[in-house]
Amino acid sequence: MPAGVLRLSDVIVPAVFVPMVRRLAVEKTALIQSGAMVPDPLLDHFLAGPGLTIDMPKLNGLDRSDGENVSSDDPTVFSVPNKPATGDEIAVRLSRNNSWSEMDLVRALLAADPLAALADDVAQYWAYRRQKAAIAQLSGIFAYNALATDANHIQNSMTVDLSGLNGGKFADGQTNFHGSAFIDALVTMGDSMGGLALVAMHSIVYGNALKKNLIQFRLDSEANPTIPTYMGKDVTMDDSMPMPAAGVFETWLFGRGAMTYGTGSPTVPNEVIRVPAAGNGAGQSTMHDRVEWSHHVPGTAYVGTPAKGGPSNANTTNNLAAATSWRQVAPDRRQIPIARIVTREF
């Protein structure tokens, strides 16, 4: 049996560790697993090259209000073709990293399979952080939608807000989550409401709905009734969901693939640094892990000026949760399959 102490450098082989972590992180991200977020090879390609943003010109759907021609037998009368409208969608690069010292990772090193244990720890961390970034971006898009109506959008066309009812005080059946509000949120999509298939809610909202027998369960792949649903929509419970104030919660509705994502690889995605002199000669090992992400809601554009590493999750200028970082470029709100309900639960 080899002598000595197990070190990070003994466990981590980047060529094995990095793909394992990235795969596990995707598997553990609730919005990805729910189907609300789907991969986009175009974003992967963007992250493989230079640049902080990517322009994605898109053809908008045909304008259904355009009148059709009435056919005639006059050879001198020619039809005039319509020109499809275009929109310039913009996604932004997110370059993130973190590091952990050996003292932080001792538990993983003591496991029977230290590489798997360490990869699982790091993957859970990045899954949570990625979801936080996606939620911050969606928060910014909803905040933009709440701004005054302009040429690009109609104010609050994506939101049903019950939190201010009854003078901003809790009233059971009025300010909290209920069926009528849910239907109102679906109706924000007009005749495309059927495209909203998923619901993400905080555990407080989920628990209150569960107490009122509003949550039903459908069968999983093994015929067990384990998948929660509401009005036929799959429910994801996530305590990362925004809480704008005490007792106030946001519940979001998504179409499948409402957000796309890409994953890149930094030049050096993972490395272990050994500093022998640290601890007055006792030595210290530190692992650095780096990620490249891009998330995009089709029909929107990032219009901020990103820092070199991309925007943060904050709601300040140029960052993900800021209303002024986003613009709607789809001509019709129904082309952006997301909606929001803001409730006061206590």
Side-chain angles (χ1 to χ4, degrees), residues 96-244:
R96 306 287 174 89
N97 73 85
N98 211 334
S99 57
W100 299 271
S101 71
E102 189 167 282
M103 292 82 78
D104 298 327
L105 302 170
V106 166
R107 181 181 63 80
L109 294 178
L110 295 176
D113 186 345
L115 178 63
L118 186 56
D120 189 68
D121 271 358
V122 176
Q124 291 199 52
Y125 171 80
W126 283 128
Y128 180 79
R129 297 311 307 172
R130 181 166 210 162
Q131 187 139 309
K132 290 285 284 187
I135 286 174
Q137 180 167 334
L138 287 159
S139 293
I141 291 169
F142 282 125
Y144 162 77
N145 182 252
L147 297 177
T149 299
D150 59 20
N152 299 307
H153 83 290
I154 297 173
Q155 185 178 34
N156 285 323
S157 59
M158 298 178 175
T159 297
V160 174
D161 190 348
L162 308 180
S163 63
L165 298 179
N166 195 37
K169 296 180 180 179
F170 171 74
D172 190 29
Q174 296 181 38
T175 67
N176 49 349
F177 184 85
H178 58 271
S180 179
F182 187 80
I183 292 170
D184 287 342
L186 292 175
V187 171
T188 67
M189 285 285 289
D191 59 4
S192 297
M193 70 173 71
L196 296 174
L198 309 163
V199 186
M201 59 177 61
H202 192 280
S203 61
I204 296 295
V205 181
Y206 180 87
N208 289 343
L210 199 60
K211 291 174 185 176
K212 296 182 177 182
N213 294 318
L214 299 178
I215 304 295
Q216 305 297 317
F217 293 88
R218 67 176 177 86
L219 302 181
D220 60 19
S221 59
E222 297 180 352
N224 297 314
T226 60
I227 301 174
T229 68
Y230 182 73
M231 290 194 184
K233 316 295 184 183
D234 287 357
V235 174
T236 295
M237 180 172 53
D238 188 342
D239 284 350
S240 297
M241 294 301 296
M243 298 171 54

Side-chain angles (χ1 to χ4, degrees), residues 76-90:
T76 65
V77 178
F78 296 88
S79 66
V80 178
N82 296 303
K83 179 181 178 181
T86 61
D88 191 17
E89 300 181 5
I90 303 173

Side-chain angles (χ1 to χ4, degrees), residues 29 53 63 263:
T29 303
T53 60
D63 188 347
T263 303

